[in-house]
Amino acid sequence: MCIFAWMKYAIIAAGDGSRLAQEGVTDAKPLVKVNGERLIDRLIRIFVANQATDILVICNEHMTDVARHLVEVEEQGLNGHHVPLQFLIKSTPSSMHSLYELRKYLLDEPFILTTVDTIFDEQAFSLYVSTFRERLHKGVDALMGVTDYIDDEKPLYVSTDPQLHVTGYYDNAQSDTQYVSAGIYGLASSTLSILDDCIAKGQHRMRNFQRALVAGGLHVEAYPLSKVFDIDHASDIKKAEEYLKKRL
């Protein structure tokens, strides 16, 4: 078995989902259902199917219902399958800080990180996981999921060279930014020292971490995915349901 045949996964589920709440969605974001499946459960199911050795989750201290649900999954499994789950309950000021809180679980092996509300095609994701394993053997430090579908209110534009090496991240579109970040990050443990530096400098937001990876000279590649989007508004739930039904 290859050293990277299995994989660690991490889920940032620490946001408060304030926009959804303002629009009448009563469930905490990780527990919002899309086609009858909770967002957190969908990710866990997909990660288990992609040979997860560990699934690390962080949720905030106000999400007591999410914590209770994670306890149930930890003790009872999901859909009849054992889940190698560990979770941390802590409120953080940003997604980058949430990753930093999870870093102690991620020091020794590569891992794939996403936020709890990321919607993507399962088959495309499995190919991404396989490619990440392969690229790790070629010395890649990060394989970043990107998409040409722009749905985010504040997208992070990604510039690449012809070989899909990432050359920069921008808040606004540039002449060479065909893609935007899809919020799916394949990271080797070598990236965590850059994360430490970002935190020490008082930086915030995942996009600053991504910029620091490129500025630090790490080998960062882009991986184009099909349509990827987040559940930020109540209308996104219906959009996700329609999209996923078409993928069946």
Side-chain angles (χ1 to χ4, degrees):
M1 179 181 295
C2 118
I3 189 172
F4 298 125
W6 297 82
M7 186 66 63
K8 285 188 177 183
Y9 295 88
I11 302 171
I12 295 175
D16 58 11
S18 57
R19 285 174 292 187
L20 287 171
Q22 291 170 2
E23 295 170 7
V25 178
T26 57
D27 289 329
K29 183 183 279 192
L31 303 183
V32 167
K33 290 184 177 180
V34 172
N35 291 333
E37 185 175 34
R38 295 181 179 91
L39 290 173
I40 188 84
D41 290 353
R42 179 175 189 268
L43 287 179
I44 290 172
R45 173 180 58 78
I46 293 170
F47 294 164
V48 168
N50 284 278
Q51 299 177 301
T53 54
D54 295 280
I55 299 176
L56 300 315
V57 181
I58 181 170
C59 62
N60 72 47
E61 296 163 359
H62 306 292
M63 292 181 172
T64 55
D65 49 351
V66 176
R68 284 194 298 270
H69 180 69
L70 291 173
V71 169
E72 291 179 4
V73 173
E74 184 181 43
E75 295 177 348
Q76 303 173 20
L78 183 68
N79 304 327
H81 297 282
H82 169 70
V83 176
L85 177 67
Q86 298 183 68
F87 65 92
L88 176 65
I89 302 172
K90 186 168 184 178
S91 298
T92 63
S94 72
S95 293
M96 188 177 75
H97 285 80
S98 292
L99 174 57
Y100 183 75
E101 293 298 331
L102 290 173
R103 69 182 296 284
K104 62 185 177 183
Y105 303 105
L106 303 168
L107 290 172
D108 301 324
E109 298 177 27
F111 61 95
I112 293 174
L113 168 75
T114 186
T115 53
V116 73
D117 62 337
T118 304
I119 298 295
F120 51 79
D121 176 72
E122 293 182 38
Q123 291 184 338
F125 180 78
S126 293
L127 290 173
Y128 164 76
V129 175
S130 298
T131 301
F132 180 44
R133 292 188 182 111
E134 294 171 1
R135 296 307 297 158
L136 286 166
H137 290 293
K138 302 293 185 180
V140 73
D141 293 296
L143 185 66
M144 302 306 213
V146 298
T147 178
D148 58 7
Y149 175 74
I150 302 176
D151 183 63
D152 198 297
E153 294 172 349
K154 295 181 179 180
L156 178 62
Y157 293 88
V158 184
S159 64
T160 61
D161 68 14
Q163 289 73 43
L164 291 179
H165 297 133
V166 176
T167 56
Y169 289 97
Y170 303 92
D171 291 330
N172 299 297
Q174 309 292 311
S175 60
D176 58 348
T177 52
Q178 178 182 352
Y179 302 106
V180 298
S181 172
I184 299 173
Y185 317 94
L187 301 169
S189 57
S190 55
T191 61
L192 295 178
S193 61
I194 300 293
L195 177 66
D196 294 344
D197 291 341
C198 289
I199 295 294
K201 293 174 181 176
Q203 295 179 344
H204 292 259
R205 307 185 72 187
M206 282 295 292
R207 61 183 57 196
N208 292 328
F209 170 54
Q210 293 176 78
R211 289 179 175 125
L213 293 175
V214 175
L218 272 67
H219 184 167
V220 182
E221 294 184 3
Y223 183 90
L225 290 158
S226 54
K227 195 174 183 178
V228 180
F229 55 94
D230 298 332
I231 304 294
D232 291 321
H233 298 280
S235 59
D236 293 333
I237 299 172
K238 182 177 181 181
K239 180 170 61 177
E241 290 179 336
E242 293 174 349
Y243 170 70
L244 294 175
K245 284 177 180 177
K246 291 178 182 179
R247 311 306 296 177
L248 297 177

